[in-house]
Amino acid sequence: MSLTLYLHPLASFCHKVLIAFYENNLAFQPVTVDLMDPESAAQLRAKWPVGKIPVLYDAECDRAVPETSIIIEYVQRHYPGPVRLLPDDPDEQLDARLWDRFFDLYVSVPMQKIVVDRIKPEDGRDPKGVADAQAALDTAYAMIDAQIAGKTWAIGEQFTIADCSAAPGLFYASIVHPFDAKHQHLSAYFERLLARPSMQRTLREARPFFHLFPYRDAMPHRFLAD
């Protein structure tokens, strides 16, 4: 097996890559990284000194591939499967890349701001930053609701890299800052993402780590039980 993925089963950006891999039944070796463990962290930094996960290592060509979108595109190019996560049409590729970045930057990033703030000591918290992140999510939710109207997936009828990004970002965001009831298209899209077998597998593997999630008390029971 030439592919090794350095990850943590709780991390949303790792979920994005796992969903892509599971969509195509890709053979790979997962390695869980504990950044608090010097030996585990050193193993990751030997491949990618930035020290962020996920990182894919391809032993066949001795190449480390960081960054979620690059990992997914690399695998599609060198280890293609039946589900093409980047469309063949050039304009549709741009749409897929656009919404991939949208979900990363405007859903996952503000969601992480809210999560990290809860971990901080009381005197180190940033209420203004959290309020700004919540407002950013409100804007993103409205834009997604409009984008997804009349579509099955983020850019149309094909499941793409954009949906791989959307699934984990919306999963955690829906817990820390729930959707407004008026966003019916977004809510229906989220349910379709949850029903996707690749997402279900990813969440099953994450479940033993949910006790580490600082908003676990707000997680709906259906996310905690098989």
Side-chain angles (χ1 to χ4, degrees):
M1 186 178 299
S2 68
L3 298 178
T4 301
L5 184 66
Y6 294 87
L7 77 158
H8 192 281
L10 194 61
S12 62
F13 283 117
C14 296
H15 289 186
K16 172 182 168 180
V17 172
L18 288 173
I19 290 165
F21 285 9
Y22 294 156
E23 283 290 323
N24 282 299
N25 295 314
L26 182 72
F28 70 100
Q29 177 64 43
V31 173
T32 297
V33 176
D34 180 357
L35 293 174
M36 303 302 292
D37 180 317
E39 184 176 343
S40 180
Q43 187 180 17
L44 171 67
R45 289 193 172 94
K47 296 291 187 293
W48 184 238
V50 171
K52 290 189 175 182
I53 50 176
V55 172
L56 181 70
Y57 176 67
D58 188 344
E60 183 149 338
C61 56
D62 189 25
R63 179 172 183 175
V65 185
E67 303 300 330
T68 56
S69 301
I70 305 302
I71 292 171
I72 293 171
E73 291 204 32
Y74 177 85
V75 166
Q76 176 160 308
R77 180 174 300 177
H78 296 283
Y79 300 91
V83 179
R84 292 191 58 78
L85 296 170
L86 272 176
D88 293 325
D89 179 81
D91 288 335
E92 291 180 357
Q93 283 186 15
L94 289 179
D95 286 341
R97 288 188 174 109
L98 167 63
W99 284 94
D100 166 54
R101 303 310 298 137
F102 184 93
F103 286 112
D104 279 0
L105 295 175
Y106 304 117
V107 177
S108 288
V109 169
M111 172 274 292
Q112 289 183 340
K113 169 65 180 178
I114 297 169
V115 171
V116 169
D117 196 76
R118 178 171 277 202
I119 299 171
K120 293 178 179 178
E122 194 72 35
D123 60 359
R125 291 186 177 173
D126 178 16
K128 175 63 165 58
V130 169
D132 288 345
Q134 291 170 334
L137 285 175
D138 287 335
T139 298
Y141 292 167
M143 291 178 67
I144 297 163
D145 193 69
Q147 166 66 16
I148 208 69
K151 301 181 183 71
T152 301
W153 304 112
I155 67 165
E157 297 309 301
Q158 179 179 352
F159 187 93
T160 70
I161 188 173
D163 303 293
C164 296
S165 177
L170 291 173
F171 173 77
Y172 285 116
S174 72
I175 297 166
V176 305
H177 190 62
F179 311 145
D180 191 297
K182 66 185 178 185
H183 295 143
Q184 296 182 1
H185 301 303
L186 168 59
S187 297
Y189 172 55
F190 180 54
E191 292 302 320
R192 291 194 293 275
L193 290 169
L194 288 176
R196 194 85 178 180
S198 58
M199 180 61 168
Q200 292 181 357
R201 178 177 174 181
T202 299
L203 292 180
R204 281 197 304 272
E205 293 172 353
R207 196 167 289 125
F209 298 88
F210 279 165
H211 68 281
L212 300 173
F213 183 56
Y215 277 82
R216 185 185 184 282
D217 58 328
M219 295 183 79
H221 179 71
R222 64 175 176 151
F223 296 157
L224 298 171
D226 289 320

